[in-house]
Amino acid sequence: MPASPDPRQNSGTALGDEVYSVLGEAILEGRLAPGERLRDHELAQRLGVSRTPVREALQRLEVIGLVEVSPNRYTRVSTPSAASQRYTQEFVTLLMGNAALLALPRCDDGTLESLVAQADDLVEASHSGDPARILAASAHFFPALTHATGNPAFIRVLREAEFALRRNLVGWRPPIADEPTRTALYREFRDAIAARDGAAAELVLRRLHLLA
């Protein structure tokens, strides 16, 4: 059962965002299981809110693929497909490549220094050979890169996609299994970040994920 937001401390958009977060986390944690029917009046009662923010949250979750709707039949938690991880990886790679093109020429020196340090973490994670560590380092680096663009549209897209990314990348493994080859590419990526070379960083990302 989802944990309830406190409607006394929220209103309007804030309450809608809170319900969206509560339902999204419940899906990720399995408290709302794949295939489970989602009835707005039941969820509203369980959360202690009106049906409006629940309906809005379900619509947002449908857009990112965590909920599926068949009009006049059902609204239910979707079941991840075998292709979900591949599509998600393509989306992240292309989004982050474009974020690099925007962010690196325009970010200030302090932000660049932080990005380089996080890129160093990516190199070390790759060298460790631990997919979970690579994914965790990526999960820290890529939001920072996105915010460094200063572009509200990029930031909003990544924020809205967060739940889908987290669910669809469970069990992710790097496309390049050979550690020396993969780590060398992460070093190229790190050096491109340090040089503010967005084009080079974008190309290396695509090579890392076999899209070049």
Side-chain angles (χ1 to χ4, degrees):
M1 178 182 294
S4 300
D6 185 350
R8 295 170 299 178
Q9 298 180 11
N10 294 285
S11 61
T13 300
L15 180 58
D17 288 343
E18 180 68 9
V19 172
Y20 173 73
S21 295
V22 168
L23 294 179
E25 291 292 349
I27 291 172
L28 291 184
E29 295 171 6
R31 289 180 284 117
L32 291 173
E36 183 171 344
R37 296 293 180 95
L38 302 171
R39 298 174 176 85
D40 57 6
H41 62 283
E42 292 180 359
L43 291 170
Q45 187 175 36
R46 288 159 66 178
L47 295 174
V49 299
S50 71
R51 294 168 72 173
T52 297
V54 172
R55 287 172 176 170
E56 292 173 352
L58 292 175
Q59 288 171 356
R60 290 170 66 184
L61 290 166
E62 181 191 8
V63 168
I64 65 172
L66 267 66
V67 165
E68 57 185 8
V69 176
S70 179
N72 301 317
R73 293 182 60 204
Y74 60 76
T75 297
R76 66 189 181 193
V77 179
S78 65
T79 300
S81 68
S84 297
Q85 189 175 101
R86 182 174 75 254
Y87 295 147
T88 299
Q89 180 174 284
E90 289 176 349
F91 168 77
V92 174
T93 300
L94 297 175
L95 181 67
M96 291 304 110
N98 282 281
L101 288 168
L102 286 177
L104 297 181
R106 65 173 59 164
C107 69
D108 60 43
D109 290 344
T111 299
L112 182 67
E113 183 178 354
S114 177
L115 290 174
V116 171
Q118 292 186 66
D120 285 331
D121 292 340
L122 280 169
V123 173
E124 290 303 314
S126 176
H127 183 61
S128 77
D130 181 355
R133 184 174 170 186
I134 300 171
L135 187 60
S138 299
H140 283 95
F141 176 81
F142 290 130
L145 180 65
T146 302
H147 280 82
T149 68
N151 186 308
F154 272 76
I155 296 167
R156 189 179 307 114
V157 165
L158 188 63
R159 183 175 64 244
E160 286 294 308
E162 178 190 357
F163 287 129
L165 300 184
R166 287 168 57 191
R167 186 175 74 161
N168 292 345
L169 292 177
V170 170
W172 174 88
R173 301 189 71 81
I176 298 176
D178 181 68
E179 184 275 317
T181 300
R182 183 184 64 242
T183 301
L185 284 171
Y186 273 111
R187 287 197 181 96
E188 285 187 38
F189 181 66
R190 181 264 181 212
D191 291 344
I193 298 292
R196 292 185 180 271
D197 190 340
E202 189 269 342
L203 177 59
V204 175
L205 274 178
R206 288 193 285 115
R207 290 167 61 197
L208 273 164
H209 297 92
L210 305 182
L211 294 178

